[in-house]
Amino acid sequence: MLELRDQDYVIQRVRAGVLEQGTMDTLREAGVGARMDREGAVHEGIELRYDGEGHRIDFAGLCGRAIMVYGQQEVVKDLIERRRADGLPLLFEVDDVEVDPDTPKVAFTHDGERHELTAKAIAGCDGFHGVCRDTIAHALTERTREYPFGWLGILAEVAPSTHELIYASHERGFALHSLRSPELSRLYIQVDPHDDIENWPDERIWEELHTRFEKPGWTLQEGPIVEKGITPMRSFLVEPMQHERLYLAGDAAHIVPPTGAKGLNLAVADVRVLAQALTDWLRGGDASGLDSYSEKCLARVWRVQHFSWWMTSMLHRFPEEDEIQQRLQRAELDYVTSSRAASTMLAENYTGLPYGWEAA
Ligand code: DHB
């Protein structure tokens, strides 16, 4: 395990916080789910809010599955701790990484010394800005779509004003109320992706949140903002996700817009497929799982790309949208919140399709 940043950066960086049912199960099976089960919160639904009204999507009733609210950096902490406890190598602040997918080989600098690792296979889990995808770019087709908006996210030291996540569609733009703990709220608003966080003093953020979440009889509680930032949104992927003996997983291979919190969950799904394929190959000499790695992952990747795009399109304001587009969004929201079939579609995608669903 080679990591560019230092350990503090990795465990303090605030990321998303929703784990799908399958991700929870995977972490438990891997023996890293104990703290998640103690400190995380299982949620059996979310609220869609528009026109001052809330509509609950009942995951448990619709598809018998749930999600876990547990910060991604908490998962990272648990994985680091486990890796150390197992006495397996985990190097931070690794620089100048070079990857050779044919041999395969990885060269890197750590503590001022150059090292070279010879391997049987390389898992390229080095994120959107990592070196692995670039190294095999000649063998990949890239697809990108930028969205004309971003999310301004805050972490606030205040008890969440809601028990379940609220996804709000408002004429001034999308807003999301999430949470991290009984004392910590995580909130987002749609903003211009090129906007500067300096333009958003705390009072302006709270004012915008109050407006977008407005519902008679409901109050948003304010507290000190301890973290804030603006993130652009894009859909991105490469096909295939492998070349020679280098296998891309997670953000190295794909980015989804954040609506629906799929990024980490999709990465875990990739890694699950890759771990099984590597085990079959290294223990039993069967390379068929590795050969079909990309094909198997991409079925889920495209499904999740669609779901994230769909949630994003239904809930955000687009620049220069016309009345037809607004009425279409409204028709979609009315359908999703009134039809059992439509809300089941949301529920089963949000909680995550079961592993292997595509082969059924
Ligand atoms: C969170 C992030 C998301 O993108 C989302 O859809 C739901 C929750 C979060 O950070 O808690």
Side-chain angles (χ1 to χ4, degrees):
M1 294 275 314
L2 306 177
E3 168 61 47
L4 173 70
R5 309 284 188 154
D6 63 51
Q7 178 164 333
D8 285 347
Y9 176 90
V10 170
I11 62 182
Q12 276 164 24
R13 185 168 167 215
V14 182
R15 313 291 297 272
V18 171
L19 310 182
E20 291 176 359
Q21 178 79 51
T23 303
M24 284 187 239
D25 297 343
T26 301
L27 293 172
R28 289 184 188 126
E29 280 166 37
V32 286
R35 195 165 68 93
M36 170 190 78
D37 281 325
R38 280 199 311 276
E39 298 176 17
V42 172
H43 286 210
E44 296 191 334
I46 55 167
E47 177 183 328
L48 296 182
R49 185 177 291 188
Y50 59 100
D51 285 351
E53 259 185 70
H55 307 260
R56 183 166 191 260
I57 307 290
D58 173 11
F59 297 156
L62 291 164
C63 68
R65 290 161 76 81
I67 54 159
M68 173 80 80
V69 173
Y70 187 64
Q72 182 170 327
Q73 79 264 39
E74 304 304 324
V75 174
V76 171
K77 269 184 219 167
D78 297 341
L79 292 172
I80 291 172
E81 197 162 294
R82 178 57 190 267
R83 183 92 183 157
R84 292 216 193 286
D86 289 345
L88 293 167
L90 168 58
L91 304 183
F92 288 94
E93 298 180 81
V94 167
D95 235 336
D96 297 322
V97 177
E98 282 177 282
V99 174
D100 172 0
D102 306 309
T103 323
K105 232 169 20 191
V106 180
F108 61 95
T109 304
H110 186 247
D111 272 346
E113 259 182 65
R114 196 77 187 148
H115 301 266
E116 195 173 283
L117 285 173
T118 307
K120 290 224 162 81
I122 301 168
C125 316
D126 53 348
F128 183 66
H129 299 287
V131 297
C132 287
R133 186 183 68 252
D134 278 354
T135 307
I136 57 170
H138 61 278
L140 311 176
T141 303
E142 257 186 44
R143 304 182 202 282
T144 311
R145 171 182 287 186
E146 307 283 338
Y147 291 84
F149 36 75
W151 278 12
L152 188 164
I154 63 164
L155 198 61
E157 284 175 346
V158 58
S161 307
T162 178
H163 295 297
E164 294 183 334
L165 274 66
I166 305 170
Y167 287 79
S169 173
H170 188 272
E171 63 189 31
R172 294 185 56 81
F174 171 74
L176 168 60
H177 192 330
S178 182
L179 43 142
R180 284 295 177 277
S181 73
E183 302 85 33
L184 265 186
S185 300
R186 178 85 172 140
L187 297 119
Y188 300 94
I189 44 175
Q190 170 188 350
V191 295
D192 186 305
H194 307 297
D195 207 341
D196 190 334
I197 194 70
E198 298 300 321
N199 295 331
W200 287 91
D202 296 0
E203 311 77 65
R204 183 178 174 208
I205 297 175
W206 287 114
E207 194 185 314
E208 201 60 40
L209 286 164
H210 282 294
T211 305
R212 297 190 193 183
F213 283 116
E214 193 174 353
K215 182 174 111 170
W218 186 85
T219 318
L220 177 67
Q221 302 299 331
E222 295 185 19
I225 295 180
V226 291
E227 206 264 353
K228 62 179 170 182
I230 295 177
T231 322
M233 287 166 67
R234 66 167 69 88
S235 300
F236 167 88
L237 61 79
V238 291
E239 292 178 301
M241 290 167 54
Q242 66 193 83
H243 180 64
E244 307 287 353
R245 288 275 177 240
L246 172 56
Y247 304 89
L248 302 175
D251 285 10
H254 40 69
I255 298 286
V256 293
T259 331
K262 289 291 166 219
L264 168 71
N265 294 294
L266 195 50
V268 169
D270 289 346
V271 167
R272 231 185 124 95
V273 175
L274 185 55
Q276 187 60 54
L278 284 170
T279 306
D280 292 347
W281 182 51
L282 294 169
R283 297 230 173 106
D286 174 7
S288 62
L290 277 183
D291 294 343
S292 61
Y293 168 71
S294 179
E295 192 188 336
K296 187 151 190 213
C297 289
L298 280 164
R300 176 177 291 268
V301 169
W302 277 110
R303 172 88 296 279
V304 169
Q305 287 286 6
H306 179 275
F307 178 70
S308 305
W309 161 82
W310 174 78
M311 284 281 279
T312 301
S313 310
M314 179 172 68
L315 293 164
H316 289 68
R317 292 278 77 79
F318 286 73
E320 291 167 39
E321 65 186 10
D322 59 11
E323 197 189 334
I324 290 202
Q325 194 171 346
Q326 288 170 11
R327 298 291 288 269
L328 289 172
Q329 280 184 333
R330 173 58 194 257
E332 187 75 347
L333 280 166
D334 286 343
Y335 181 46
V336 160
T337 53
S338 60
S339 149
R340 188 175 174 93
S343 41
T344 304
M345 185 279 282
L346 194 160
E348 83 165 355
N349 280 275
Y350 196 101
T351 56
L353 284 152
Y355 296 123
W357 111 93
E358 72 283 1

